[in-house]
Amino acid sequence: EPEVTQTPSHQVTQMGQEVILRCVPISNHLYFYWYRQILGQKVEFLVSFYNNEISEKSEIFDDQFSVERPDGSNFTLKIRSTKLEDSAMYFCASSELGLYGYTFGSGTRLTVV
Amino acid sequence: KQEVTQIPAALSVPEGENLVLNCSFTDSAIYNLQWFRQDPGKGLTSLLLIQSSQREQTSGRLNASLDKSSGRSTLYIAASQPGDSATYLCAITSGTYKYIFGTGTRLKVLA
């Protein structure tokens, strides 16, 4: 069964550093998403991306965050200057057509020290 | 603003019991509701998807029901097994392509 692949599975970074989290969505999917889950809290929506532009973003997704689809297969989330409170599990998801075939990746655990 | 709540927050049952997990939402204008399973430190595995026009979905020992008018969904697990131990998350969409998640129910099935 097709999967959404995220790398790395765990990343440790120093406060103030830039990080890029990578995702390979399912190949025929057109919609891409990032969510995050702070330890012990709800999974929260960050951003959705379609047709090479952001279609929706949450209040969490401020100027420190950006997303990009640099080529035909990768979808990345960049955090420009990490803070301690950015420590969380970040999930990528993709869907074929809107909500159809919505599939989550296994996540990247980001630890900011 | 849509809020999703799950009760109970944690549940511990002996193997073989049938159990019910509850999910409630504040705005009945939902597009669909999905139940996920999350193992510790892992990703989200989709279990059942109920579209707004449907009342229930079944997969194996799992049955999910949806009552939009009362803002509730239940996930029924029959004959629970230790391998069912995980956190179960309910999530809804309301016309956009994002999910709003509940806080989850942490289930432990004792052998």
Side-chain angles (χ1 to χ4, degrees):
Chain A
E1 188 163 333
E3 290 183 341
V4 174
T5 305
Q6 291 187 244
T7 55
S9 57
H10 189 191
Q11 182 157 358
V12 181
T13 189
Q14 292 208 327
M15 192 167 53
Q17 295 295 305
E18 174 183 287
V19 294
I20 297 177
L21 308 184
R22 302 181 191 279
C23 170
V24 178
I26 293 173
S27 61
N28 64 332
H29 284 189
L30 302 176
Y31 295 79
F32 314 109
Y33 316 86
W34 284 100
Y35 290 76
R36 81 171 184 191
Q37 185 180 33
I38 294 171
L39 187 64
Q41 298 188 23
K42 292 184 181 186
V43 177
E44 302 172 289
F45 169 79
L46 292 178
V47 66
S48 58
F49 190 86
Y50 170 71
N51 201 25
N52 285 318
E53 60 182 27
I54 291 173
S55 47
E56 187 176 358
K57 61 182 181 179
S58 71
E59 294 171 352
I60 303 166
F61 195 87
D62 61 21
D63 292 344
Q64 290 288 89
F65 292 89
S66 62
V67 289
E68 197 175 38
R69 188 154 163 79
D71 53 43
S73 59
N74 290 285
F75 179 52
T76 61
L77 174 69
K78 182 192 291 186
I79 309 175
R80 261 180 269 286
S81 177
T82 50
K83 309 184 194 76
L84 294 176
E85 54 264 36
D86 293 327
S87 295
M89 181 78 96
Y90 288 81
F91 294 106
C92 175
S94 68
S95 64
E96 184 176 351
L97 185 65
L99 298 170
Y100 182 73
Y102 214 113
T103 304
F104 282 85
S106 54
T108 292
R109 179 169 298 285
L110 177 65
T111 302
V112 182
V113 297
Chain B
K1 182 184 171 187
Q2 181 73 267
E3 297 281 344
V4 182
T5 306
Q6 291 186 246
I7 294 172
L11 184 62
S12 187
V13 299
E15 183 177 5
E17 271 204 12
N18 302 324
L19 52 99
V20 174
L21 308 182
N22 297 292
C23 171
S24 61
F25 43 94
T26 53
D27 185 346
S28 61
I30 68 168
Y31 189 80
N32 68 27
L33 183 145
Q34 192 155 1
W35 283 92
F36 293 88
R37 169 184 172 140
Q38 184 177 30
D39 292 287
K42 303 292 184 184
L44 306 172
T45 302
S46 176
L47 297 174
L48 290 165
L49 168 69
I50 310 178
Q51 295 181 359
S52 62
S53 57
Q54 299 173 323
R55 295 297 298 260
E56 67 177 335
Q57 285 286 339
T58 298
S59 176
R61 294 183 293 108
L62 305 179
N63 174 274
S65 66
L66 173 63
D67 183 345
K68 277 177 46 179
S69 60
S70 66
R72 291 182 184 180
S73 175
T74 59
L75 178 67
Y76 175 82
I77 303 177
S80 57
Q81 303 170 357
D84 295 330
S85 298
T87 296
Y88 290 81
L89 300 175
C90 161
I92 64 102
T93 60
S94 299
T96 66
Y97 299 153
K98 68 180 184 192
Y99 275 102
I100 299 172
F101 282 82
T103 45
T105 293
R106 196 166 57 254
L107 173 66
K108 187 166 186 178
V109 180
L110 305 169

